[in-house]
Amino acid sequence: MGSFQLEDFAAGWIGGAASVIVGHPLDTVKTRLQAGVNYGDTISCIRTVYRRESVFGFFKGMSFPLASIAVYNSAVFGVFSNTQRFLSQHHCREPGASPSSTLSDLLLASMVAGVVSVGLGTPVDLIKIRLQMQTQPFQEANLGLRPRAMTLGKPPVYQGPVDCIATIVRTEGLAGMYRGVGAMLLRDVPGYCLYFIPYVFLNDWITPEACTGPSLCAVWLAGGMAGAISWGTATPMDVVKSRLQADGVYLNKYKGVLDCISQSYQKEGLKVFFRGITVNAVRGFPMSAAMFLGYEFSLQAIRGDHAVTSP
């Protein structure tokens, strides 16, 4: 096979859809904890969302990510796998030899995937967060502002993903769709390095030598661990990104990444940047495990490799 393979994109799409379904409820909790107020800890936030919005509150804003994040992950996994394969084959000069990836290959491929993820994922994350945050009981203490939807008895600010996109473009311009892009770049480039590299090494280490294909147990454990590591370490910049992207539902108070960091630190201290780290790590495991399981086994099916592997 050549270095470029479309199968990686198709498998990434399936893995992305699986991860959204598994991870969205805790993603909503994470966003409320990071950008909302008066939610307390993780358990308190779950109880509050359930009491005020029922179980459907946890799936608020999921339709857009389900449709778009699958495409987004298709691009990320396709770019990573093809870049990694290209670099490995570039190093492998001997005809017929099996190319092997070095740490530098994995690092560069992860960074390229991270840049691609920012370009495609910033608008997706923005819409998701705006839809998740528009019904939370926001109140700016210093200004005494209350949500328009609650104080005036009007419907939520956005009626759905399409209306949200139209409203942002109308009020903030096309550049508004990339609010928080700097924070997302600082989150995703190192984040994907700590996502793909641990997965590759853990999967190789756990997979029994007798296996000729992906091992269910190895993919589940390596994928879950990689997700927990990546999301846990990305939490500080994820907090900044969430606040920047939630900013604008009711008012604009941050001028950029540094201003958001400064204001958040002055008002809430250093601990604010680790808000949601528990739910991030806990959510990262099943979400990432579903992602890699969907990717690896759909890729196996697409390529027609039906070899039976032992977990």
Side-chain angles (χ1 to χ4, degrees), residues 287-304:
M287 187 175 176
S288 183
M291 171 84 74
F292 280 106
L293 284 170
Y295 172 78
E296 292 283 9
F297 287 97
S298 60
L299 186 63
Q300 183 184 37
I302 292 169
R303 289 176 174 171

PDB file of all heavy atoms in Angstrom, residues 287-304:
ATOM      1  N   MET A 287     -14.418   8.038  26.539  1.00  0.00           N
ATOM      2  CA  MET A 287     -14.557   8.731  25.266  1.00  0.00           C
ATOM      3  C   MET A 287     -13.435   8.330  24.302  1.00  0.00           C
ATOM      4  O   MET A 287     -13.671   8.017  23.133  1.00  0.00           O
ATOM      5  CB  MET A 287     -14.529  10.245  25.507  1.00  0.00           C
ATOM      6  CG  MET A 287     -14.825  11.093  24.301  1.00  0.00           C
ATOM      7  SD  MET A 287     -14.906  12.836  24.778  1.00  0.00           S
ATOM      8  CE  MET A 287     -15.149  13.588  23.173  1.00  0.00           C
ATOM      9  N   SER A 288     -12.202   8.326  24.820  1.00  0.00           N
ATOM     10  CA  SER A 288     -11.063   7.971  23.987  1.00  0.00           C
ATOM     11  C   SER A 288     -11.037   6.478  23.682  1.00  0.00           C
ATOM     12  O   SER A 288     -10.653   6.059  22.583  1.00  0.00           O
ATOM     13  CB  SER A 288      -9.762   8.383  24.686  1.00  0.00           C
ATOM     14  OG  SER A 288      -8.648   8.104  23.877  1.00  0.00           O
ATOM     15  N   ALA A 289     -11.450   5.654  24.665  1.00  0.00           N
ATOM     16  CA  ALA A 289     -11.514   4.213  24.425  1.00  0.00           C
ATOM     17  C   ALA A 289     -12.497   3.908  23.292  1.00  0.00           C
ATOM     18  O   ALA A 289     -12.211   3.102  22.400  1.00  0.00           O
ATOM     19  CB  ALA A 289     -11.940   3.486  25.699  1.00  0.00           C
ATOM     20  N   ALA A 290     -13.661   4.584  23.318  1.00  0.00           N
ATOM     21  CA  ALA A 290     -14.652   4.401  22.246  1.00  0.00           C
ATOM     22  C   ALA A 290     -14.105   4.881  20.911  1.00  0.00           C
ATOM     23  O   ALA A 290     -14.341   4.264  19.858  1.00  0.00           O
ATOM     24  CB  ALA A 290     -15.936   5.159  22.597  1.00  0.00           C
ATOM     25  N   MET A 291     -13.349   5.984  20.952  1.00  0.00           N
ATOM     26  CA  MET A 291     -12.754   6.536  19.740  1.00  0.00           C
ATOM     27  C   MET A 291     -11.811   5.536  19.077  1.00  0.00           C
ATOM     28  O   MET A 291     -11.930   5.209  17.887  1.00  0.00           O
ATOM     29  CB  MET A 291     -11.971   7.803  20.084  1.00  0.00           C
ATOM     30  CG  MET A 291     -11.138   8.356  18.950  1.00  0.00           C
ATOM     31  SD  MET A 291     -12.101   9.385  17.865  1.00  0.00           S
ATOM     32  CE  MET A 291     -12.258  10.834  18.895  1.00  0.00           C
ATOM     33  N   PHE A 292     -10.865   5.004  19.850  1.00  0.00           N
ATOM     34  CA  PHE A 292      -9.879   4.098  19.276  1.00  0.00           C
ATOM     35  C   PHE A 292     -10.469   2.737  18.931  1.00  0.00           C
ATOM     36  O   PHE A 292     -10.042   2.104  17.956  1.00  0.00           O
ATOM     37  CB  PHE A 292      -8.693   3.947  20.228  1.00  0.00           C
ATOM     38  CG  PHE A 292      -7.715   5.091  20.141  1.00  0.00           C
ATOM     39  CD1 PHE A 292      -7.653   6.051  21.143  1.00  0.00           C
ATOM     40  CD2 PHE A 292      -6.867   5.222  19.059  1.00  0.00           C
ATOM     41  CE1 PHE A 292      -6.759   7.108  21.061  1.00  0.00           C
ATOM     42  CE2 PHE A 292      -5.965   6.276  18.958  1.00  0.00           C
ATOM     43  CZ  PHE A 292      -5.917   7.224  19.971  1.00  0.00           C
ATOM     44  N   LEU A 293     -11.439   2.276  19.729  1.00  0.00           N
ATOM     45  CA  LEU A 293     -12.105   1.014  19.380  1.00  0.00           C
ATOM     46  C   LEU A 293     -12.831   1.152  18.052  1.00  0.00           C
ATOM     47  O   LEU A 293     -12.750   0.279  17.174  1.00  0.00           O
ATOM     48  CB  LEU A 293     -13.081   0.609  20.487  1.00  0.00           C
ATOM     49  CG  LEU A 293     -12.471   0.011  21.760  1.00  0.00           C
ATOM     50  CD1 LEU A 293     -13.531  -0.112  22.845  1.00  0.00           C
ATOM     51  CD2 LEU A 293     -11.848  -1.364  21.468  1.00  0.00           C
ATOM     52  N   GLY A 294     -13.580   2.261  17.907  1.00  0.00           N
ATOM     53  CA  GLY A 294     -14.284   2.506  16.654  1.00  0.00           C
ATOM     54  C   GLY A 294     -13.325   2.630  15.487  1.00  0.00           C
ATOM     55  O   GLY A 294     -13.576   2.084  14.394  1.00  0.00           O
ATOM     56  N   TYR A 295     -12.204   3.308  15.720  1.00  0.00           N
ATOM     57  CA  TYR A 295     -11.222   3.516  14.656  1.00  0.00           C
ATOM     58  C   TYR A 295     -10.536   2.210  14.250  1.00  0.00           C
ATOM     59  O   TYR A 295     -10.524   1.843  13.074  1.00  0.00           O
ATOM     60  CB  TYR A 295     -10.175   4.531  15.106  1.00  0.00           C
ATOM     61  CG  TYR A 295      -9.009   4.660  14.152  1.00  0.00           C
ATOM     62  CD1 TYR A 295      -9.133   5.385  12.969  1.00  0.00           C
ATOM     63  CD2 TYR A 295      -7.794   4.034  14.417  1.00  0.00           C
ATOM     64  CE1 TYR A 295      -8.072   5.488  12.075  1.00  0.00           C
ATOM     65  CE2 TYR A 295      -6.734   4.133  13.535  1.00  0.00           C
ATOM     66  CZ  TYR A 295      -6.874   4.866  12.372  1.00  0.00           C
ATOM     67  OH  TYR A 295      -5.823   4.959  11.485  1.00  0.00           O
ATOM     68  N   GLU A 296      -9.972   1.514  15.231  1.00  0.00           N
ATOM     69  CA  GLU A 296      -9.168   0.319  14.932  1.00  0.00           C
ATOM     70  C   GLU A 296      -9.990  -0.798  14.282  1.00  0.00           C
ATOM     71  O   GLU A 296      -9.567  -1.400  13.292  1.00  0.00           O
ATOM     72  CB  GLU A 296      -8.517  -0.209  16.211  1.00  0.00           C
ATOM     73  CG  GLU A 296      -7.446   0.711  16.795  1.00  0.00           C
ATOM     74  CD  GLU A 296      -6.127   0.643  16.041  1.00  0.00           C
ATOM     75  OE1 GLU A 296      -6.059   0.017  14.963  1.00  0.00           O
ATOM     76  OE2 GLU A 296      -5.144   1.231  16.542  1.00  0.00           O
ATOM     77  N   PHE A 297     -11.177  -1.059  14.841  1.00  0.00           N
ATOM     78  CA  PHE A 297     -11.943  -2.206  14.347  1.00  0.00           C
ATOM     79  C   PHE A 297     -12.713  -1.881  13.066  1.00  0.00           C
ATOM     80  O   PHE A 297     -12.950  -2.771  12.244  1.00  0.00           O
ATOM     81  CB  PHE A 297     -12.847  -2.741  15.450  1.00  0.00           C
ATOM     82  CG  PHE A 297     -12.082  -3.478  16.512  1.00  0.00           C
ATOM     83  CD1 PHE A 297     -11.701  -2.843  17.686  1.00  0.00           C
ATOM     84  CD2 PHE A 297     -11.681  -4.789  16.314  1.00  0.00           C
ATOM     85  CE1 PHE A 297     -10.952  -3.498  18.649  1.00  0.00           C
ATOM     86  CE2 PHE A 297     -10.941  -5.463  17.271  1.00  0.00           C
ATOM     87  CZ  PHE A 297     -10.570  -4.814  18.441  1.00  0.00           C
ATOM     88  N   SER A 298     -13.099  -0.626  12.877  1.00  0.00           N
ATOM     89  CA  SER A 298     -13.703  -0.259  11.591  1.00  0.00           C
ATOM     90  C   SER A 298     -12.633  -0.264  10.500  1.00  0.00           C
ATOM     91  O   SER A 298     -12.895  -0.659   9.357  1.00  0.00           O
ATOM     92  CB  SER A 298     -14.384   1.107  11.679  1.00  0.00           C
ATOM     93  OG  SER A 298     -13.455   2.116  12.026  1.00  0.00           O
ATOM     94  N   LEU A 299     -11.411   0.138  10.854  1.00  0.00           N
ATOM     95  CA  LEU A 299     -10.309   0.104   9.894  1.00  0.00           C
ATOM     96  C   LEU A 299     -10.001  -1.338   9.494  1.00  0.00           C
ATOM     97  O   LEU A 299      -9.767  -1.646   8.317  1.00  0.00           O
ATOM     98  CB  LEU A 299      -9.065   0.752  10.506  1.00  0.00           C
ATOM     99  CG  LEU A 299      -7.857   0.935   9.580  1.00  0.00           C
ATOM    100  CD1 LEU A 299      -8.199   1.887   8.433  1.00  0.00           C
ATOM    101  CD2 LEU A 299      -6.663   1.475  10.369  1.00  0.00           C
ATOM    102  N   GLN A 300     -10.052  -2.222  10.474  1.00  0.00           N
ATOM    103  CA  GLN A 300      -9.836  -3.642  10.212  1.00  0.00           C
ATOM    104  C   GLN A 300     -10.916  -4.193   9.275  1.00  0.00           C
ATOM    105  O   GLN A 300     -10.624  -4.944   8.344  1.00  0.00           O
ATOM    106  CB  GLN A 300      -9.833  -4.419  11.532  1.00  0.00           C
ATOM    107  CG  GLN A 300      -9.539  -5.906  11.398  1.00  0.00           C
ATOM    108  CD  GLN A 300      -9.636  -6.636  12.723  1.00  0.00           C
ATOM    109  OE1 GLN A 300     -10.503  -6.324  13.541  1.00  0.00           O
ATOM    110  NE2 GLN A 300      -8.771  -7.607  12.946  1.00  0.00           N
ATOM    111  N   ALA A 301     -12.172  -3.796   9.520  1.00  0.00           N
ATOM    112  CA  ALA A 301     -13.279  -4.267   8.688  1.00  0.00           C
ATOM    113  C   ALA A 301     -13.198  -3.702   7.274  1.00  0.00           C
ATOM    114  O   ALA A 301     -13.438  -4.406   6.284  1.00  0.00           O
ATOM    115  CB  ALA A 301     -14.607  -3.881   9.331  1.00  0.00           C
ATOM    116  N   ILE A 302     -12.850  -2.404   7.168  1.00  0.00           N
ATOM    117  CA  ILE A 302     -12.760  -1.759   5.852  1.00  0.00           C
ATOM    118  C   ILE A 302     -11.678  -2.407   4.997  1.00  0.00           C
ATOM    119  O   ILE A 302     -11.840  -2.604   3.792  1.00  0.00           O
ATOM    120  CB  ILE A 302     -12.483  -0.249   6.019  1.00  0.00           C
ATOM    121  CG1 ILE A 302     -13.708   0.453   6.632  1.00  0.00           C
ATOM    122  CG2 ILE A 302     -12.139   0.388   4.675  1.00  0.00           C
ATOM    123  CD1 ILE A 302     -13.441   1.876   7.066  1.00  0.00           C
ATOM    124  N   ARG A 303     -10.570  -2.757   5.634  1.00  0.00           N
ATOM    125  CA  ARG A 303      -9.451  -3.354   4.889  1.00  0.00           C
ATOM    126  C   ARG A 303      -9.657  -4.849   4.632  1.00  0.00           C
ATOM    127  O   ARG A 303      -8.838  -5.485   3.984  1.00  0.00           O
ATOM    128  CB  ARG A 303      -8.140  -3.131   5.655  1.00  0.00           C
ATOM    129  CG  ARG A 303      -7.689  -1.680   5.627  1.00  0.00           C
ATOM    130  CD  ARG A 303      -6.450  -1.458   6.473  1.00  0.00           C
ATOM    131  NE  ARG A 303      -5.961  -0.085   6.313  1.00  0.00           N
ATOM    132  CZ  ARG A 303      -5.005   0.450   7.058  1.00  0.00           C
ATOM    133  NH1 ARG A 303      -4.431  -0.269   8.010  1.00  0.00           N
ATOM    134  NH2 ARG A 303      -4.614   1.698   6.848  1.00  0.00           N
ATOM    135  N   GLY A 304     -10.753  -5.404   5.210  1.00  0.00           N
ATOM    136  CA  GLY A 304     -11.044  -6.807   4.980  1.00  0.00           C
ATOM    137  C   GLY A 304     -10.165  -7.748   5.758  1.00  0.00           C
ATOM    138  O   GLY A 304     -10.022  -8.920   5.400  1.00  0.00           O
TER     139      GLY A 304
END
